[in-house]
Short mmCIF file of all heavy atoms in Angstrom, two decimals:
data_model
loop_
_atom_site.label_atom_id
_atom_site.label_comp_id
_atom_site.label_asym_id
_atom_site.label_seq_id
_atom_site.Cartn_x
_atom_site.Cartn_y
_atom_site.Cartn_z
N MET A 1 84.32 136.05 136.51
CA MET A 1 85.52 135.86 137.28
C MET A 1 86.47 137.02 136.98
O MET A 1 86.65 137.42 135.85
CB MET A 1 86.14 134.53 136.87
CG MET A 1 87.06 133.88 137.86
SD MET A 1 86.43 133.59 139.49
CE MET A 1 86.04 131.89 139.46
N SER A 2 87.08 137.57 138.02
CA SER A 2 88.02 138.67 137.88
C SER A 2 89.36 138.26 138.50
O SER A 2 89.39 137.65 139.57
CB SER A 2 87.47 139.91 138.61
OG SER A 2 88.38 140.97 138.52
N THR A 3 90.44 138.58 137.81
CA THR A 3 91.78 138.26 138.30
C THR A 3 92.63 139.52 138.29
O THR A 3 92.65 140.24 137.29
CB THR A 3 92.45 137.19 137.40
OG1 THR A 3 91.62 136.03 137.38
CG2 THR A 3 93.82 136.82 137.92
N SER A 4 93.32 139.77 139.40
CA SER A 4 94.23 140.91 139.50
C SER A 4 95.57 140.40 140.01
O SER A 4 95.61 139.48 140.83
CB SER A 4 93.70 141.95 140.49
OG SER A 4 92.45 142.43 140.07
N VAL A 5 96.65 140.98 139.51
CA VAL A 5 97.99 140.56 139.92
C VAL A 5 98.72 141.76 140.50
O VAL A 5 98.72 142.85 139.93
CB VAL A 5 98.78 139.98 138.73
CG1 VAL A 5 100.18 139.56 139.17
CG2 VAL A 5 98.04 138.78 138.13
N TYR A 6 99.33 141.54 141.66
CA TYR A 6 100.11 142.57 142.36
C TYR A 6 101.52 142.05 142.56
O TYR A 6 101.71 140.86 142.82
CB TYR A 6 99.49 142.87 143.73
CG TYR A 6 98.06 143.33 143.65
CD1 TYR A 6 97.01 142.41 143.60
CD2 TYR A 6 97.75 144.67 143.61
CE1 TYR A 6 95.70 142.82 143.52
CE2 TYR A 6 96.43 145.10 143.53
CZ TYR A 6 95.41 144.17 143.47
OH TYR A 6 94.11 144.59 143.38
N THR A 7 102.51 142.93 142.46
CA THR A 7 103.88 142.55 142.76
C THR A 7 104.21 143.08 144.14
O THR A 7 104.10 144.28 144.40
CB THR A 7 104.85 143.13 141.71
OG1 THR A 7 104.48 142.63 140.43
CG2 THR A 7 106.28 142.69 142.01
N VAL A 8 104.60 142.17 145.02
CA VAL A 8 104.83 142.51 146.43
C VAL A 8 106.32 142.41 146.74
O VAL A 8 106.97 141.42 146.39
CB VAL A 8 104.01 141.58 147.34
CG1 VAL A 8 104.28 141.89 148.80
CG2 VAL A 8 102.52 141.73 147.03
N LYS A 9 106.84 143.43 147.40
CA LYS A 9 108.25 143.46 147.79
C LYS A 9 108.45 142.84 149.16
O LYS A 9 107.62 143.02 150.05
CB LYS A 9 108.75 144.91 147.87
CG LYS A 9 108.68 145.68 146.59
CD LYS A 9 109.20 147.07 146.83
CE LYS A 9 108.91 148.02 145.72
NZ LYS A 9 109.39 149.38 146.04
N GLY A 10 109.56 142.12 149.32
CA GLY A 10 109.97 141.65 150.64
C GLY A 10 109.56 140.26 151.04
O GLY A 10 109.91 139.81 152.12
N MET A 11 108.84 139.54 150.19
CA MET A 11 108.46 138.17 150.54
C MET A 11 109.64 137.25 150.24
O MET A 11 110.15 137.24 149.11
CB MET A 11 107.24 137.72 149.75
CG MET A 11 105.98 138.46 150.08
SD MET A 11 104.53 137.73 149.28
CE MET A 11 104.97 137.81 147.55
N THR A 12 110.07 136.48 151.25
CA THR A 12 111.24 135.63 151.06
C THR A 12 111.05 134.18 151.47
O THR A 12 111.92 133.35 151.21
CB THR A 12 112.43 136.20 151.86
OG1 THR A 12 112.07 136.26 153.24
CG2 THR A 12 112.83 137.58 151.36
N CYS A 13 109.93 133.87 152.12
CA CYS A 13 109.78 132.50 152.64
C CYS A 13 108.30 132.10 152.68
O CYS A 13 107.42 132.91 152.39
CB CYS A 13 110.38 132.40 154.04
SG CYS A 13 109.51 133.42 155.26
N SER A 14 108.06 130.86 153.07
CA SER A 14 106.68 130.38 153.14
C SER A 14 105.89 131.11 154.22
O SER A 14 104.67 131.27 154.11
CB SER A 14 106.64 128.87 153.37
OG SER A 14 107.26 128.53 154.59
N GLY A 15 106.57 131.57 155.27
CA GLY A 15 105.88 132.36 156.30
C GLY A 15 105.34 133.66 155.72
O GLY A 15 104.22 134.06 156.02
N CYS A 16 106.15 134.30 154.87
CA CYS A 16 105.71 135.52 154.19
C CYS A 16 104.49 135.23 153.33
O CYS A 16 103.51 135.98 153.32
CB CYS A 16 106.82 136.07 153.30
SG CYS A 16 108.35 136.53 154.14
N MET A 17 104.59 134.14 152.59
CA MET A 17 103.50 133.73 151.70
C MET A 17 102.22 133.53 152.50
O MET A 17 101.15 134.00 152.11
CB MET A 17 103.88 132.45 150.97
CG MET A 17 102.81 131.94 150.04
SD MET A 17 103.27 130.40 149.23
CE MET A 17 103.04 129.25 150.59
N ASN A 18 102.32 132.86 153.63
CA ASN A 18 101.14 132.61 154.46
C ASN A 18 100.54 133.89 155.01
O ASN A 18 99.31 134.04 155.05
CB ASN A 18 101.48 131.65 155.60
CG ASN A 18 101.77 130.25 155.11
OD1 ASN A 18 101.33 129.85 154.04
ND2 ASN A 18 102.53 129.51 155.89
N LYS A 19 101.39 134.83 155.45
CA LYS A 19 100.89 136.11 155.98
C LYS A 19 100.13 136.88 154.92
O LYS A 19 99.04 137.41 155.17
CB LYS A 19 102.05 136.95 156.52
CG LYS A 19 102.58 136.49 157.86
CD LYS A 19 103.78 137.30 158.30
CE LYS A 19 103.40 138.73 158.63
NZ LYS A 19 104.53 139.49 159.18
N VAL A 20 100.69 136.96 153.71
CA VAL A 20 100.04 137.70 152.63
C VAL A 20 98.76 136.99 152.20
O VAL A 20 97.73 137.64 152.01
CB VAL A 20 101.01 137.90 151.45
CG1 VAL A 20 100.29 138.45 150.23
CG2 VAL A 20 102.15 138.82 151.85
N THR A 21 98.81 135.67 152.08
CA THR A 21 97.62 134.92 151.68
C THR A 21 96.48 135.13 152.67
O THR A 21 95.35 135.41 152.28
CB THR A 21 97.95 133.41 151.57
OG1 THR A 21 98.97 133.23 150.58
CG2 THR A 21 96.72 132.61 151.19
N THR A 22 96.78 135.03 153.95
CA THR A 22 95.76 135.22 154.99
C THR A 22 95.19 136.63 154.95
O THR A 22 93.98 136.83 155.03
CB THR A 22 96.36 134.92 156.38
OG1 THR A 22 96.80 133.56 156.40
CG2 THR A 22 95.33 135.14 157.47
N ALA A 23 96.07 137.63 154.81
CA ALA A 23 95.62 139.02 154.79
C ALA A 23 94.71 139.30 153.61
O ALA A 23 93.64 139.91 153.76
CB ALA A 23 96.82 139.95 154.77
N VAL A 24 95.11 138.87 152.42
CA VAL A 24 94.33 139.17 151.22
C VAL A 24 93.05 138.34 151.17
O VAL A 24 92.01 138.83 150.73
CB VAL A 24 95.19 138.97 149.95
CG1 VAL A 24 94.37 139.20 148.69
CG2 VAL A 24 96.39 139.92 149.97
N THR A 25 93.08 137.13 151.67
CA THR A 25 91.87 136.30 151.72
C THR A 25 90.79 136.96 152.58
O THR A 25 89.60 136.77 152.35
CB THR A 25 92.20 134.90 152.26
OG1 THR A 25 93.17 134.30 151.39
CG2 THR A 25 90.98 134.01 152.31
N GLY A 26 91.21 137.77 153.55
CA GLY A 26 90.27 138.46 154.42
C GLY A 26 89.55 139.63 153.78
O GLY A 26 88.60 140.18 154.35
N VAL A 27 89.97 140.04 152.58
CA VAL A 27 89.30 141.14 151.88
C VAL A 27 87.97 140.63 151.33
O VAL A 27 87.92 139.57 150.69
CB VAL A 27 90.19 141.70 150.74
CG1 VAL A 27 89.44 142.75 149.94
CG2 VAL A 27 91.48 142.26 151.29
N ALA A 28 86.91 141.36 151.60
CA ALA A 28 85.57 140.96 151.15
C ALA A 28 85.54 140.75 149.64
O ALA A 28 86.01 141.59 148.88
CB ALA A 28 84.55 142.02 151.55
N GLY A 29 84.99 139.60 149.24
CA GLY A 29 84.83 139.31 147.82
C GLY A 29 85.94 138.47 147.21
O GLY A 29 85.79 137.96 146.10
N VAL A 30 87.05 138.31 147.92
CA VAL A 30 88.16 137.52 147.39
C VAL A 30 87.83 136.04 147.52
O VAL A 30 87.47 135.56 148.59
CB VAL A 30 89.48 137.85 148.14
CG1 VAL A 30 90.58 136.87 147.75
CG2 VAL A 30 89.90 139.28 147.85
N ASN A 31 87.96 135.31 146.41
CA ASN A 31 87.69 133.87 146.40
C ASN A 31 88.94 133.04 146.58
O ASN A 31 88.90 131.98 147.20
CB ASN A 31 87.01 133.45 145.09
CG ASN A 31 85.63 134.02 144.94
OD1 ASN A 31 84.99 134.40 145.92
ND2 ASN A 31 85.15 134.10 143.72
N ASP A 32 90.05 133.50 145.98
CA ASP A 32 91.28 132.72 146.04
C ASP A 32 92.47 133.65 145.90
O ASP A 32 92.37 134.71 145.27
CB ASP A 32 91.30 131.67 144.92
CG ASP A 32 92.37 130.62 145.10
OD1 ASP A 32 92.85 130.42 146.25
OD2 ASP A 32 92.76 130.00 144.10
N VAL A 33 93.59 133.24 146.49
CA VAL A 33 94.83 134.01 146.42
C VAL A 33 95.95 133.03 146.11
O VAL A 33 96.06 131.99 146.74
CB VAL A 33 95.13 134.73 147.77
CG1 VAL A 33 96.45 135.46 147.70
CG2 VAL A 33 94.00 135.67 148.13
N ASP A 34 96.78 133.38 145.13
CA ASP A 34 97.95 132.57 144.79
C ASP A 34 99.18 133.46 144.92
O ASP A 34 99.24 134.52 144.31
CB ASP A 34 97.84 132.02 143.37
CG ASP A 34 99.03 131.17 143.01
OD1 ASP A 34 99.35 130.23 143.76
OD2 ASP A 34 99.67 131.44 141.97
N VAL A 35 100.13 133.02 145.75
CA VAL A 35 101.35 133.80 145.98
C VAL A 35 102.54 133.04 145.41
O VAL A 35 102.74 131.87 145.73
CB VAL A 35 101.56 134.07 147.49
CG1 VAL A 35 102.85 134.82 147.72
CG2 VAL A 35 100.38 134.83 148.07
N ASP A 36 103.32 133.72 144.57
CA ASP A 36 104.55 133.15 144.02
C ASP A 36 105.73 133.89 144.65
O ASP A 36 105.99 135.04 144.32
CB ASP A 36 104.57 133.31 142.50
CG ASP A 36 105.75 132.63 141.84
OD1 ASP A 36 106.82 132.52 142.48
OD2 ASP A 36 105.62 132.22 140.67
N ILE A 37 106.40 133.22 145.58
CA ILE A 37 107.51 133.87 146.30
C ILE A 37 108.63 134.26 145.35
O ILE A 37 109.23 135.33 145.47
CB ILE A 37 108.06 132.95 147.41
CG1 ILE A 37 106.99 132.68 148.46
CG2 ILE A 37 109.28 133.56 148.07
CD1 ILE A 37 107.37 131.62 149.46
N ALA A 38 108.93 133.41 144.37
CA ALA A 38 110.05 133.65 143.45
C ALA A 38 109.89 134.95 142.67
O ALA A 38 110.86 135.69 142.48
CB ALA A 38 110.22 132.47 142.50
N THR A 39 108.67 135.24 142.22
CA THR A 39 108.44 136.45 141.42
C THR A 39 107.88 137.60 142.24
O THR A 39 107.87 138.74 141.78
CB THR A 39 107.46 136.16 140.26
OG1 THR A 39 106.19 135.80 140.83
CG2 THR A 39 107.97 135.07 139.36
N GLY A 40 107.35 137.29 143.43
CA GLY A 40 106.71 138.30 144.25
C GLY A 40 105.29 138.61 143.81
O GLY A 40 104.67 139.54 144.31
N GLU A 41 104.77 137.80 142.89
CA GLU A 41 103.42 138.06 142.38
C GLU A 41 102.34 137.45 143.27
O GLU A 41 102.45 136.30 143.69
CB GLU A 41 103.28 137.53 140.96
CG GLU A 41 104.05 138.34 139.96
CD GLU A 41 103.75 137.93 138.53
OE1 GLU A 41 103.16 136.85 138.29
OE2 GLU A 41 104.11 138.71 137.63
N VAL A 42 101.33 138.26 143.51
CA VAL A 42 100.16 137.82 144.26
C VAL A 42 98.97 137.93 143.30
O VAL A 42 98.65 139.03 142.84
CB VAL A 42 99.93 138.69 145.51
CG1 VAL A 42 98.65 138.30 146.21
CG2 VAL A 42 101.13 138.59 146.45
N THR A 43 98.36 136.81 143.00
CA THR A 43 97.20 136.78 142.11
C THR A 43 95.95 136.65 142.95
O THR A 43 95.83 135.75 143.78
CB THR A 43 97.31 135.60 141.12
OG1 THR A 43 98.55 135.71 140.41
CG2 THR A 43 96.16 135.60 140.14
N VAL A 44 95.02 137.58 142.73
CA VAL A 44 93.77 137.63 143.49
C VAL A 44 92.63 137.29 142.54
O VAL A 44 92.46 137.93 141.50
CB VAL A 44 93.56 139.02 144.11
CG1 VAL A 44 92.25 139.07 144.88
CG2 VAL A 44 94.74 139.39 145.01
N ILE A 45 91.84 136.29 142.92
CA ILE A 45 90.72 135.85 142.10
C ILE A 45 89.42 136.14 142.86
O ILE A 45 89.30 135.82 144.04
CB ILE A 45 90.83 134.36 141.77
CG1 ILE A 45 92.14 134.11 141.01
CG2 ILE A 45 89.63 133.88 140.97
CD1 ILE A 45 92.51 132.67 140.87
N SER A 46 88.47 136.74 142.14
CA SER A 46 87.19 137.10 142.75
C SER A 46 86.09 137.01 141.69
O SER A 46 86.38 136.94 140.50
CB SER A 46 87.26 138.51 143.32
OG SER A 46 87.63 139.43 142.30
N ASP A 47 84.85 137.01 142.16
CA ASP A 47 83.73 136.97 141.22
C ASP A 47 83.57 138.30 140.49
O ASP A 47 83.19 138.34 139.33
CB ASP A 47 82.43 136.64 141.96
CG ASP A 47 82.39 135.19 142.40
OD1 ASP A 47 83.04 134.34 141.75
OD2 ASP A 47 81.74 134.90 143.42
N ALA A 48 83.84 139.40 141.19
CA ALA A 48 83.73 140.74 140.62
C ALA A 48 85.02 141.50 140.96
O ALA A 48 85.74 141.11 141.88
CB ALA A 48 82.53 141.46 141.23
N PRO A 49 85.32 142.55 140.22
CA PRO A 49 86.54 143.31 140.53
C PRO A 49 86.55 143.80 141.98
O PRO A 49 85.53 144.21 142.53
CB PRO A 49 86.46 144.50 139.57
CG PRO A 49 85.64 144.00 138.42
CD PRO A 49 84.62 143.08 139.06
N ILE A 50 87.73 143.70 142.60
CA ILE A 50 87.94 144.14 143.98
C ILE A 50 88.68 145.47 143.95
O ILE A 50 89.59 145.65 143.13
CB ILE A 50 88.80 143.10 144.76
CG1 ILE A 50 88.15 141.72 144.74
CG2 ILE A 50 89.09 143.56 146.17
CD1 ILE A 50 86.91 141.59 145.57
N ASP A 51 88.33 146.38 144.83
CA ASP A 51 89.03 147.66 144.93
C ASP A 51 90.50 147.38 145.26
O ASP A 51 90.82 146.80 146.29
CB ASP A 51 88.39 148.50 146.02
CG ASP A 51 88.99 149.88 146.16
OD1 ASP A 51 90.08 150.15 145.60
OD2 ASP A 51 88.38 150.72 146.85
N SER A 52 91.40 147.79 144.37
CA SER A 52 92.82 147.51 144.55
C SER A 52 93.38 148.14 145.83
O SER A 52 94.32 147.62 146.42
CB SER A 52 93.64 147.96 143.34
OG SER A 52 93.61 149.36 143.22
N GLU A 53 92.78 149.23 146.26
CA GLU A 53 93.26 149.87 147.50
C GLU A 53 93.00 148.97 148.72
O GLU A 53 93.78 148.98 149.67
CB GLU A 53 92.62 151.25 147.69
CG GLU A 53 93.13 152.28 146.70
CD GLU A 53 94.66 152.41 146.70
OE1 GLU A 53 95.27 152.51 147.78
OE2 GLU A 53 95.24 152.40 145.60
N LEU A 54 91.92 148.21 148.70
CA LEU A 54 91.65 147.28 149.80
C LEU A 54 92.68 146.17 149.83
O LEU A 54 93.15 145.77 150.90
CB LEU A 54 90.24 146.69 149.65
CG LEU A 54 89.07 147.66 149.79
CD1 LEU A 54 87.75 146.94 149.52
CD2 LEU A 54 89.06 148.29 151.18
N VAL A 55 93.05 145.67 148.66
CA VAL A 55 94.06 144.62 148.58
C VAL A 55 95.41 145.17 149.02
O VAL A 55 96.13 144.56 149.81
CB VAL A 55 94.14 144.02 147.16
CG1 VAL A 55 95.28 143.01 147.06
CG2 VAL A 55 92.81 143.38 146.78
N ARG A 56 95.76 146.36 148.52
CA ARG A 56 97.03 146.99 148.91
C ARG A 56 97.10 147.23 150.41
O ARG A 56 98.13 147.03 151.04
CB ARG A 56 97.21 148.31 148.16
CG ARG A 56 97.51 148.14 146.69
CD ARG A 56 97.49 149.49 145.95
NE ARG A 56 97.75 149.31 144.56
CZ ARG A 56 98.97 149.32 144.01
NH1 ARG A 56 100.03 149.49 144.78
NH2 ARG A 56 99.12 149.15 142.71
N ALA A 57 96.00 147.65 151.01
CA ALA A 57 95.96 147.90 152.45
C ALA A 57 96.14 146.60 153.23
O ALA A 57 96.85 146.57 154.24
CB ALA A 57 94.64 148.57 152.84
N ALA A 58 95.53 145.53 152.76
CA ALA A 58 95.68 144.23 153.43
C ALA A 58 97.13 143.76 153.37
O ALA A 58 97.68 143.26 154.35
CB ALA A 58 94.76 143.19 152.79
N ILE A 59 97.77 143.95 152.22
CA ILE A 59 99.17 143.57 152.07
C ILE A 59 100.05 144.43 152.98
O ILE A 59 100.96 143.92 153.65
CB ILE A 59 99.61 143.67 150.59
CG1 ILE A 59 98.88 142.59 149.78
CG2 ILE A 59 101.12 143.55 150.45
CD1 ILE A 59 98.99 142.75 148.27
N ALA A 60 99.76 145.72 153.05
CA ALA A 60 100.52 146.62 153.93
C ALA A 60 100.33 146.24 155.40
O ALA A 60 101.29 146.25 156.18
CB ALA A 60 100.10 148.08 153.70
N ASP A 61 99.12 145.88 155.77
CA ASP A 61 98.84 145.46 157.16
C ASP A 61 99.60 144.19 157.52
O ASP A 61 99.91 143.97 158.67
CB ASP A 61 97.34 145.24 157.37
CG ASP A 61 96.56 146.54 157.43
OD1 ASP A 61 97.19 147.63 157.56
OD2 ASP A 61 95.31 146.48 157.34
N ALA A 62 99.90 143.36 156.51
CA ALA A 62 100.67 142.14 156.74
C ALA A 62 102.17 142.43 156.84
O ALA A 62 102.95 141.55 157.16
CB ALA A 62 100.40 141.13 155.62
N GLY A 63 102.55 143.69 156.52
CA GLY A 63 103.95 144.08 156.67
C GLY A 63 104.74 144.13 155.37
O GLY A 63 105.97 144.17 155.39
N TYR A 64 104.04 144.16 154.25
CA TYR A 64 104.71 144.15 152.95
C TYR A 64 104.25 145.33 152.11
O TYR A 64 103.27 145.99 152.43
CB TYR A 64 104.45 142.82 152.21
CG TYR A 64 104.93 141.67 153.05
CD1 TYR A 64 104.07 141.01 153.92
CD2 TYR A 64 106.25 141.26 153.00
CE1 TYR A 64 104.51 139.98 154.72
CE2 TYR A 64 106.72 140.22 153.80
CZ TYR A 64 105.83 139.59 154.66
OH TYR A 64 106.28 138.58 155.46
N GLU A 65 104.96 145.57 151.02
CA GLU A 65 104.66 146.72 150.16
C GLU A 65 104.40 146.26 148.75
O GLU A 65 105.12 145.41 148.21
CB GLU A 65 105.86 147.67 150.17
CG GLU A 65 105.69 148.90 149.33
CD GLU A 65 106.92 149.77 149.30
OE1 GLU A 65 107.89 149.50 150.04
OE2 GLU A 65 106.93 150.73 148.52
N VAL A 66 103.37 146.82 148.13
CA VAL A 66 103.08 146.53 146.73
C VAL A 66 103.94 147.45 145.87
O VAL A 66 103.98 148.67 146.09
CB VAL A 66 101.58 146.76 146.41
CG1 VAL A 66 101.31 146.54 144.93
CG2 VAL A 66 100.71 145.84 147.27
N ALA A 67 104.65 146.87 144.91
CA ALA A 67 105.47 147.66 143.99
C ALA A 67 104.57 148.50 143.09
O ALA A 67 103.48 148.07 142.73
CB ALA A 67 106.34 146.74 143.14
N GLN A 68 105.02 149.67 142.75
CA GLN A 68 104.23 150.55 141.88
C GLN A 68 104.28 150.17 140.44
O GLN A 68 105.02 149.71 139.82
CB GLN A 68 104.69 152.00 142.04
CG GLN A 68 104.46 152.52 143.43
CD GLN A 68 103.00 152.52 143.86
OE1 GLN A 68 102.09 152.67 143.05
NE2 GLN A 68 102.76 152.34 145.12
#
């Protein structure tokens, strides 16, 4: 099991959470996504490590930015 955490800027509501969850769930190999609106943290769970650029691209496509 592999877990990665990303901090995402601009999420303010459950709609934001749903957009990011849907986008990241669509990345091949992702098993589960947990979004914490209060902290901006997106936790990605997968069987094997996922290319972080794919996750970042999915988040960007949803309209949000990953903090550096």
Side-chain angles (χ1 to χ4, degrees):
M1 203 55 101
S2 178
T3 303
S4 300
V5 179
Y6 302 85
T7 301
V8 178
K9 299 180 193 178
M11 294 188 302
T12 59
C13 65
S14 61
C16 299
M17 179 182 75
N18 291 337
K19 284 177 68 175
V20 170
T21 300
T22 299
V24 177
T25 300
V27 175
V30 171
N31 293 339
D32 193 22
V33 177
D34 181 53
V35 178
D36 185 331
I37 297 171
T39 63
E41 289 188 345
V42 175
T43 304
V44 179
I45 300 168
S46 57
D47 288 332
I50 303 289
D51 183 347
S52 66
E53 289 306 313
L54 294 176
V55 175
R56 289 172 181 271
I59 292 168
D61 287 347
Y64 301 93
E65 180 183 353
V66 176
Q68 296 299 330

